[in-house]
Amino acid sequence: MPEKMLDENLFVAIKKMLRNYPYQSIVVLVALVLSSLFEGLTLMSLLPLGSLVLGGSSDETNDIFVAFDNMFRSVGLDMSLGSILCIIVIAVTLKAFFHIVAMSYVGFVSASIASNFRIRLINALLSASWNYFGNQPVGKLSNSLSTESDGSATLYLNLCTLLSAGIQALVLIAVAFTISWRLSLGALCVGLLMLILLHRFVDMAREAGVVRARTYRNLMKSITDGLQGIKIL
């Protein structure tokens, strides 16, 4: 199957999932964004914490130190070791809470996708003509009900995992640029170079996945049809 056709089928499947589960997807997106933001707040809190422990702040962290000091003063508190630790504990707790909420919704939607896939396939088979139904290998149908339905659910899970990693990366990049834009720009260039160099291996893994899926589908079809013939004998 051409790569362009694979990309089109993938985007069509993602679009249908988002259209069938819009509210759940919005909840997952909001929860992932909040989780990543609180993780960024945790990392930024470590900078003034280190400044308090070491007894000074560098030029890169001075602005962050002043920002945290102004934030505490706006609520009538002094920035101390205990207050910074409280911020870190609260941020870590909220980060974990929103991440659990997001993954819970992802699990619910993934199970619904697999269940609805099987129901729609069974209804389509019951509505199909007998000539079409009779010409379909039993192994192909059983593989669609088991493996391919689970694969559609895994697609949504992997999509949300990729989205979570992307949002987290954006937040971490923003935090890094806040600390030192020169070092962050250099690290970003190195990361892009690694992405270009490793792109070929990603394509190889993708091709291997396509071959694996096709081989497994043919294997299941042959085994199921063979067992059916042996049972008749």
Side-chain angles (χ1 to χ4, degrees), residues 104-194:
S104 299
Y105 269 89
V106 169
F108 169 76
V109 175
S110 298
S112 299
I113 289 174
S115 177
N116 292 335
F117 182 92
R118 294 186 178 98
I119 292 174
R120 289 196 301 268
L121 179 59
I122 292 174
N123 291 334
L125 291 176
L126 293 176
S127 302
S129 62
W130 178 254
N131 292 331
Y132 174 82
F133 183 79
N135 292 329
Q136 296 300 314
V138 178
K140 179 181 178 181
L141 300 179
S142 62
N143 181 67
S144 299
L145 286 172
S146 58
T147 307
E148 294 185 5
S149 60
D150 293 335
S152 62
T154 305
L155 173 61
Y156 188 84
L157 175 61
N158 293 337
L159 175 63
C160 293
T161 303
L162 177 62
L163 181 62
S164 175
I167 296 174
Q168 185 180 18
L170 291 177
V171 172
L172 294 179
I173 289 173
V175 173
F177 270 91
T178 303
I179 299 172
S180 176
W181 68 270
R182 294 180 181 86
L183 292 177
S184 302
L185 185 61
L188 190 60
C189 293
V190 173
L192 291 176
L193 179 61
M194 292 180 61

Side-chain angles (χ1 to χ4, degrees), residues 194-195 197-209:
M194 292 180 61
L195 182 63
L197 294 176
L198 298 177
H199 180 70
R200 176 55 186 165
F201 294 99
V202 176
D203 291 337
M204 293 173 59
R206 182 178 184 179
E207 294 173 0

Side-chain angles (χ1 to χ4, degrees), residues 6-24:
L6 287 174
D7 292 336
E8 292 178 353
N9 293 337
L10 178 62
F11 287 129
V12 169
I14 293 175
K15 186 185 298 184
K16 288 184 178 180
M17 289 180 183
L18 296 179
R19 189 190 308 129
N20 293 333
Y21 302 93
Y23 301 111
Q24 293 87 343

